[in-house]
Every structure is written in structure tokens, then in C-alpha cells.
Amino acid sequence: MKIQNSELILSGEGRIYHLNIQKENIAPTIILVGDPQRVPVVSAHFDKVEFTAHKREFVTHTGYYQGKRLSVVSTGIGPDNIDIVLNELDALFNIDLERRAPKEEHTPLTFVRLGTSGSLQADIPVDSIVLSAYGLGMDNLLHSYKDSPKVRERAMEDAFIAHTQWNMDKGHPCIVQGSEALLEKLYSPEVFKGITATAPGFYGPQGRRLRLIPQDEHLNEKLKSYAFNGYKVTNMEMETAAIYGLSKLLGHQALSMNAIIANRPAGTFSADPGKAVEKLIQYALPIICKE
């Protein structure tokens, strides 16, 4: 079935609409960052940058690191932006843009998120690194896709709902496992691993109170005390669960890594967030590019 122009939007020279890139501009190993300004911070470590593009909050740099071709793409903030970026990157590889139809041969992609996050556990200090074994989606993105139940951890979800006395008016939480192969590859005793909670916003959805009262003022305490099969909720941000869910639905590998720049229980914030991010990049890049 041909995909209509209104559903798959292309700009001049066959560029995918929001990212404004073509397939030849992107590598199948892709580092995802939230902040557009973090893209050149990552690509500064490349031996060579062969392509750059910038449209809205979406910045792309492609080049080589230790002989491996890879790309770094900024997503902006939140699950809604993840929906745009992952679907458009997948389309470049797995849809024939001229025929406007899915290709018969599937090309798997590798996504590694290098982000920033706040710790929910007192013993995970600022400036440390967390690997996300699971993404806990407190947003509703995955419910927009018919096959989402096939990639979700239903027993974990049920236990989470019971533990937190979750208000179902906010939607059913979705928990998705990250790539086990990437977790094994990127883990070391230097880093923490656990469940990363993904919120659809920064203030009320993450239990922050300014002038508006969060629906659940005890959310963070409930997240902190939830555990399943030895995994605790280590941190909270706004992208990981969406990346995991869409990657699994589309047949790709994904893992999220976060530099911890805040500790919510202690109320502390990193004295130098840029240094914490640099530490994460220097840790991850050589491992990502190691065959």
C-alpha cells in the first residue's frame, strides 16, 4: 500500500520532513541527545565530521570515530519529539521513499541515548552514570500504536500500578526493556543500572511543585521504593521509555545512558553539568564503536 504524501512528508531532494536529511546523511549507529547544543560536543570527539544539518531542534552530525561511521542527532525534549525522530530515522532506512512503501528487507538500527537526568536514589550521586535496563513510561505515547502490548513488560506494569496506587486517569504506564546486548556491552562497575522513569513533562509530571499542585505529591517517594526483580527506579527524565518502545516496535536496538546532574532525595545539583556530560561521552563512545 502506498503511503500518502500527507502521512510521509518529504521536503526538497527527498529529505525527511522534520530532520531535513536523506538516508546517505545518516549512519545506522545513532547517538541520541536531547539538547541540540550537545551534538557538536559529541561530534568534537569524532576523527572526522562529514555532514551536518540543522532544522528546528533537530541537529544531525555524521562522521567517523575510531574508524566507525556514526551519527549524533538531537531529539529535543519529551516523548512527542522521540516519536518524530525515531519514526523518521526508521523511514530513511526501511521505507522506499520513491515508491512510498516499506522495503522488503529490514535494516536494524542502533540507538544509544546520551542524556542528563535526576537520580531518585540517595546513593546514586550527581556526576555518576546510569544505564537504563528498563524504561518506565508515565506518558501515553505507546498507546497510540496497535502492537505496543507485544513489547511491554505487563507483570512489571501491574506491580508498579499496585505499588504506586496509580491514578488511571493519567493513562496506563508502559514498561519496556532496553537492549540486553547493548546493556551487557556498555555496563561496567563504574556505572549504575536500573529502571528509568520517563515523564511527559518536567514539573507536575515529575512531582515538582511551583504554583500548581502535582496530582500525586508523593510520586517520587513511590518511584524510589518500587522494585522488580532486583531493579529499582534509579532516575527520571523524559525520553527513555519512548525510545525503547518505538525501537522494539520498529525492530531496532536501543539503550539509554544518563549523566546524573541532580539528586532529588538530597536536593543537590551538579556543580559542573558540562563536565558530567563530558565524562559520559568519554565513557560511552569507545565502547559504542568497539566491534
Side-chain angles (χ1 to χ4, degrees):
M1 182 180 72
K2 184 177 180 179
I3 302 171
Q4 298 300 313
N5 291 355
S6 60
E7 311 307 293
L8 175 62
I9 304 170
L10 303 176
S11 57
E13 300 179 2
R15 291 185 173 87
I16 201 78
Y17 182 64
H18 294 93
L19 299 183
N20 196 37
I21 58 175
Q22 299 170 302
K23 180 186 175 184
E24 55 263 34
N25 305 141
I26 197 84
T29 298
I30 302 162
I31 295 170
L32 300 175
V33 300
D35 186 352
Q37 295 184 15
R38 196 175 302 143
V39 173
V41 174
V42 176
S43 68
H45 292 265
F46 290 4
D47 304 315
K48 174 186 177 182
V49 175
E50 67 178 22
F51 173 81
T52 66
H54 183 187
K55 184 180 179 183
R56 301 185 185 184
E57 62 265 58
F58 308 114
V59 176
T60 300
H61 287 189
T62 297
Y64 290 85
Y65 180 85
Q66 296 183 353
K68 183 178 179 68
R69 188 171 185 255
L70 72 163
S71 297
V72 54
V73 178
S74 63
T75 64
I77 299 174
D80 51 345
N81 274 15
I82 296 300
D83 184 61
I84 292 170
V85 172
L86 262 70
N87 274 295
E88 292 197 356
L89 289 172
D90 174 80
L92 289 173
F93 285 87
N94 291 301
I95 293 177
D96 185 320
L97 300 183
E98 291 187 4
R99 293 193 304 112
R100 292 184 165 272
K103 295 179 179 179
E104 293 184 5
E105 184 176 347
H106 176 263
T107 299
L109 305 177
T110 298
F111 296 108
V112 179
R113 165 169 156 77
L114 300 182
T116 56
S117 183
S119 168
L120 292 171
Q121 302 292 335
D123 61 349
I124 300 179
V126 294
D127 303 328
S128 61
I129 296 171
V130 167
L131 300 184
S132 308
Y134 294 89
L136 161 58
M138 299 185 293
D139 61 295
N140 289 303
L141 174 64
L142 286 188
H143 296 306
S144 297
Y145 294 95
K146 184 176 181 180
D147 289 336
S148 70
K150 297 179 181 179
V151 302
R152 289 160 49 195
E153 303 292 328
R154 302 307 293 269
M156 290 183 72
E157 293 173 3
D158 292 342
F160 176 77
I161 290 167
H163 177 81
T164 58
Q165 298 180 304
W166 187 258
N167 185 336
M168 298 304 288
D169 286 346
K170 296 192 293 184
H172 197 294
C174 296
I175 300 180
V176 184
Q177 187 175 20
S179 166
E180 293 180 273
L182 288 175
L183 182 68
E184 182 178 355
K185 181 177 181 178
L186 286 159
Y187 177 73
S188 80
E190 297 177 48
V191 303
F192 298 87
K193 62 180 176 180
I195 303 167
T196 294
T198 296
F202 186 76
Y203 290 99
Q206 294 191 32
R208 289 183 171 93
R209 179 172 178 170
L210 301 184
R211 290 206 312 120
L212 298 177
I213 302 172
Q215 182 274 324
D216 186 348
E217 294 189 85
H218 303 288
L219 174 65
N220 288 4
E221 290 84 355
K222 294 175 181 179
L223 289 169
K224 177 183 176 182
S225 58
Y226 172 74
F228 195 93
N229 286 347
Y231 283 105
K232 294 181 179 181
V233 181
T234 46
N235 59 312
M236 181 157 50
E237 40 85 281
M238 297 175 63
E239 289 82 28
T240 292
I243 293 170
Y244 285 9
L246 290 176
S247 293
K248 278 206 166 182
L249 287 171
L250 292 166
H252 306 308
Q253 299 288 313
L255 193 77
S256 181
M257 307 181 68
N258 278 276
I260 298 300
I261 60 172
N263 186 290
R264 300 293 295 281
T268 56
F269 194 83
S270 173
D272 191 344
K275 185 176 179 180
V277 170
E278 185 65 24
K279 173 184 172 183
L280 172 62
I281 294 168
Q282 291 182 11
Y283 176 91
L285 269 181
I287 303 174
I288 293 169
C289 294
K290 185 178 180 180
E291 298 298 336

